[in-house]
Amino acid sequence: MTAAAQPGHKWNFGAGPAMIPRPVLERAQSEFLNYQSTGLSLMELSHRSQPYEDLNNKAQAQLRQLLKVPENYKIVFMQGGGHTQFAAVVYNLVAWRHHQNGAKGDWREIPVDYVVTGSWSAKAAEEAKRLGANTRVVCDAKKSLGAYTGIPAESTWATSDPQGALRQADTASNQKPAYLYYCDNETVNGVEFPFVPSLHDPSVPLVCDMSSNILSRPVDISKFGVIYAGAQKNIGPAGVSVVIIREDLLQTSELKDGLPAVALMMDYKTMVKNNSLYNTPPMFAIYISSLVFDWLLDADAQRVQDGNAALYPHSSFVGVEAAQARNERKAAKLYKALEESRFYRIVVQDKAARSKMNIPFRISAVPKGSDAVADKKKDEEMEAAFVAQAEAKGLLQLAGHRSVGGIRASIYNAMTEEGVDVLIAYLKEFESQY
């Protein structure tokens, strides 16, 4: 398919805050001044009002339906984004393990294990260490691979061998980890897990940051202890995070139990008890998220999204299943275009671990296969020109993360296949200039 940018139309390839489906924005616009016939904007309503309580319950029910969340899991909406969850996970799960240990011993001796495959999991591990937790990096992709360009085989992780030194030491000390943590999709580095970790001690809860790929594909929630996701990438606007937690893990961290007291705003048990209404929640962000859930559950909306109803096998093909099919098509064609080009270099070398949400790449003036030495300054000038020309054509926010540079195309659920086709056409146009 050949496509070109339409005059005046903007395509948002930003990593977050990211693109929101246009039908969602249009519906929010139509309801902005008069929500549910109240005569008030949602932003003017009390969070204790019946209309908002109904919305809060509806959003939870929608998400439970979309992800097939089992009944023994609770869903809460929290403020603070992923960075807040870095700390919340430590406080809540260490408290749980401390109580599993009979509330005896020093909580600082309880291990918390991290799989580091990119910038965000590295930050999460750093925060746990800063908070005084016994932080162990059981897999470091940068050390194993030289860079965050893939996922080391799970069998090589320190937690994977029951007879390995780490698990034997845990058995000897009678001190099990509070959790094993990983980030399902590294937004900065473009690395996405093609599997759910399963070789660790099954009594250790699995904690997962799904901020940038939640709702992009089906997931078996029952394999996890805690899943969290900042909304601003694949759900809705910034300001709210979704937390899905297994009921038996709810435990408040308190001084009387020999633990650091957790701020109640980060306490999962408090949030569950108050149905996400412990304080005034980010109402508008939750409202937009609910509209996105509606959009995903609407069969007609999903068929319209790519403009080709024939792509869908039946009229009830909705939700994350429809999103997954669309996302696989979009990512496959974009990776193919990059691989077939002369000078676009895909950053993630491990094809199985290439993200379908965030696709980082670099530009080099030296054609692939050439023995010539690359000129870093010239390459960076070409990348800057690529971004500038793209913006002039309405293809926005394609610059890579400030920590790594390069180019990054984020193609979340809201990005249509047409938008990816427009980007591919521009890739070829820009390359033809050289």
Coordinates of all heavy atoms in Angstrom, one line a residue, residues 8 19 22 72 96 106 108 111 134 153 158 161 177 182 209 223 236 297 311 324 352 372 375 388 394 398 403 413 424:
G8 N -2.3 19.0 6.5 CA -3.0 19.4 7.7 C -3.2 18.3 8.7 O -3.5 18.6 9.8
M19 N -1.0 9.1 21.5 CA -2.2 9.2 20.7 C -3.4 8.6 21.4 O -3.3 7.5 22.0 CB -1.9 8.6 19.4 CG -3.1 8.7 18.4 SD -2.6 7.9 16.8 CE -4.0 8.3 15.8
R22 N -9.3 9.0 18.0 CA -10.1 10.2 17.6 C -11.6 10.0 18.1 O -12.2 11.0 18.6 CB -10.0 10.5 16.1 CG -10.7 11.8 15.8 CD -10.4 12.2 14.3 NE -11.1 13.5 14.0 CZ -10.5 14.7 14.3 NH1 -9.3 14.7 14.9 NH2 -11.1 15.8 14.0
N72 N -10.4 -13.1 42.0 CA -9.5 -12.9 43.2 C -8.5 -11.9 43.0 O -7.5 -11.8 43.8 CB -8.9 -14.3 43.6 CG -7.9 -14.8 42.5 OD1 -8.2 -14.7 41.3 ND2 -6.8 -15.4 42.9
W96 N 4.0 -7.7 52.7 CA 3.3 -9.0 52.6 C 4.3 -10.1 53.0 O 3.9 -11.0 53.8 CB 2.8 -9.2 51.2 CG 2.4 -10.6 50.9 CD1 1.2 -11.2 51.2 CD2 3.2 -11.6 50.2 NE1 1.2 -12.5 50.8 CE2 2.4 -12.8 50.2 CE3 4.5 -11.6 49.6 CZ2 2.9 -13.9 49.6 CZ3 4.9 -12.8 49.0 CH2 4.1 -13.9 49.0
D106 N 14.4 -8.7 60.3 CA 14.6 -7.4 59.7 C 14.1 -7.3 58.3 O 14.5 -8.1 57.4 CB 16.1 -7.0 59.7 CG 16.3 -5.6 59.3 OD1 15.5 -4.9 58.7 OD2 17.5 -5.1 59.6
R108 N 14.7 -5.5 56.0 CA 15.8 -5.2 55.0 C 16.5 -6.4 54.5 O 17.3 -6.3 53.5 CB 16.8 -4.2 55.6 CG 16.3 -2.9 56.0 CD 17.3 -2.0 56.8 NE 16.7 -0.8 57.3 CZ 16.0 -0.7 58.4 NH1 15.7 -1.7 59.1 NH2 15.5 0.5 58.7
P111 N 14.8 -10.3 50.3 CA 15.2 -10.0 48.9 C 14.1 -9.5 48.0 O 12.9 -9.9 48.2 CB 15.8 -11.3 48.4 CG 15.9 -12.2 49.6 CD 14.9 -11.7 50.5
N134 N 16.6 -5.0 50.0 CA 17.7 -5.9 49.6 C 17.5 -6.2 48.2 O 17.0 -7.3 47.8 CB 17.6 -7.1 50.5 CG 18.7 -8.2 50.2 OD1 19.6 -7.9 49.5 ND2 18.5 -9.4 50.7
A153 N 18.2 -15.4 27.8 CA 17.4 -16.6 28.0 C 17.0 -16.7 29.4 O 17.9 -16.5 30.3 CB 18.1 -17.8 27.5
A158 N 19.5 -15.7 37.5 CA 20.0 -16.3 38.7 C 18.8 -17.0 39.5 O 19.1 -17.8 40.4 CB 20.6 -15.2 39.6
D161 N 17.3 -21.5 38.3 CA 17.8 -22.9 38.6 C 17.5 -23.2 40.1 O 18.1 -22.6 41.0 CB 19.3 -23.0 38.3 CG 19.8 -24.4 38.6 OD1 19.0 -25.3 39.0 OD2 21.0 -24.6 38.4
P177 N 12.3 -14.3 48.4 CA 12.1 -12.9 47.9 C 10.6 -12.5 48.0 O 9.7 -13.3 48.0 CB 12.5 -13.0 46.4 CG 13.3 -14.3 46.4 CD 12.8 -15.2 47.4
Y182 N 9.7 -7.4 36.6 CA 10.2 -7.1 35.2 C 9.3 -6.1 34.5 O 8.2 -5.9 34.9 CB 10.4 -8.4 34.4 CG 9.1 -9.0 33.8 CD1 8.8 -8.9 32.4 CD2 8.2 -9.7 34.6 CE1 7.7 -9.4 31.9 CE2 7.0 -10.3 34.1 CZ 6.8 -10.1 32.7 OH 5.6 -10.7 32.2
D209 N 5.5 -4.4 35.2 CA 5.2 -3.0 34.7 C 4.8 -3.2 33.2 O 5.6 -3.6 32.4 CB 6.4 -2.1 34.8 CG 6.2 -0.7 34.1 OD1 5.2 -0.5 33.6 OD2 7.2 0.1 34.2
K223 N -1.1 -15.5 36.2 CA 0.3 -15.8 36.4 C 1.1 -14.7 37.2 O 2.3 -14.8 37.5 CB 1.0 -15.9 35.0 CG 0.5 -17.1 34.2 CD 1.2 -17.2 32.9 CE 0.8 -18.5 32.1 NZ 1.5 -18.6 30.8
G236 N -5.0 6.0 28.2 CA -5.6 7.3 28.2 C -4.6 8.4 28.4 O -3.5 8.3 28.1
L297 N -14.1 -2.2 23.1 CA -15.1 -3.2 23.2 C -16.2 -3.1 22.2 O -17.1 -3.9 22.1 CB -15.8 -3.2 24.6 CG -14.9 -3.6 25.8 CD1 -15.5 -3.2 27.1 CD2 -14.8 -5.2 25.7
L311 N -10.7 -7.6 7.4 CA -9.6 -8.1 8.2 C -10.0 -8.8 9.4 O -9.3 -9.6 10.0 CB -8.7 -6.9 8.7 CG -7.9 -6.2 7.6 CD1 -7.3 -4.9 8.1 CD2 -6.8 -7.1 7.0
Q324 N -4.5 -6.8 19.2 CA -3.3 -7.6 18.9 C -3.1 -7.9 17.4 O -2.0 -7.7 16.9 CB -3.4 -9.0 19.6 CG -2.1 -9.9 19.4 CD -2.3 -11.2 20.0 OE1 -3.4 -11.8 20.1 NE2 -1.2 -11.8 20.6
A352 N 12.9 -11.7 18.3 CA 11.8 -12.2 19.1 C 11.4 -11.2 20.2 O 10.3 -11.2 20.7 CB 12.2 -13.5 19.8
A372 N 32.8 0.9 5.1 CA 33.2 2.3 5.4 C 32.9 2.5 6.8 O 32.0 2.0 7.5 CB 32.4 3.2 4.5
D375 N 30.3 8.1 10.2 CA 30.6 9.4 10.7 C 29.5 9.8 11.7 O 28.4 10.1 11.3 CB 30.7 10.4 9.6 CG 31.1 11.8 10.0 OD1 30.8 12.2 11.2 OD2 31.7 12.6 9.2
A388 N 13.0 16.7 11.7 CA 12.5 18.0 11.2 C 11.6 17.9 10.0 O 10.5 18.5 10.0 CB 13.6 19.0 11.0
G394 N 3.7 16.6 9.2 CA 2.7 16.2 10.1 C 2.9 14.8 10.8 O 2.0 14.3 11.5
L398 N 8.8 11.9 16.7 CA 9.6 10.7 16.2 C 11.0 10.7 16.8 O 11.7 9.7 16.6 CB 9.6 10.7 14.7 CG 8.4 10.1 14.0 CD1 8.4 10.4 12.5 CD2 8.3 8.6 14.2
S403 N 17.7 10.1 26.4 CA 18.8 9.4 27.0 C 19.6 8.5 26.0 O 20.7 8.1 26.2 CB 18.3 8.5 28.1 OG 17.5 7.5 27.7
N413 N -2.1 1.2 20.3 CA -3.5 0.8 19.8 C -4.1 1.8 19.0 O -4.8 1.5 18.0 CB -4.4 0.4 21.0 CG -4.0 -0.9 21.6 OD1 -3.2 -1.7 21.1 ND2 -4.7 -1.3 22.7
I424 N 5.9 4.8 6.6 CA 6.8 4.0 5.7 C 7.0 4.7 4.4 O 8.1 4.7 3.9 CB 6.1 2.6 5.4 CG1 6.1 1.8 6.7 CG2 6.8 1.9 4.3 CD1 5.3 0.5 6.6

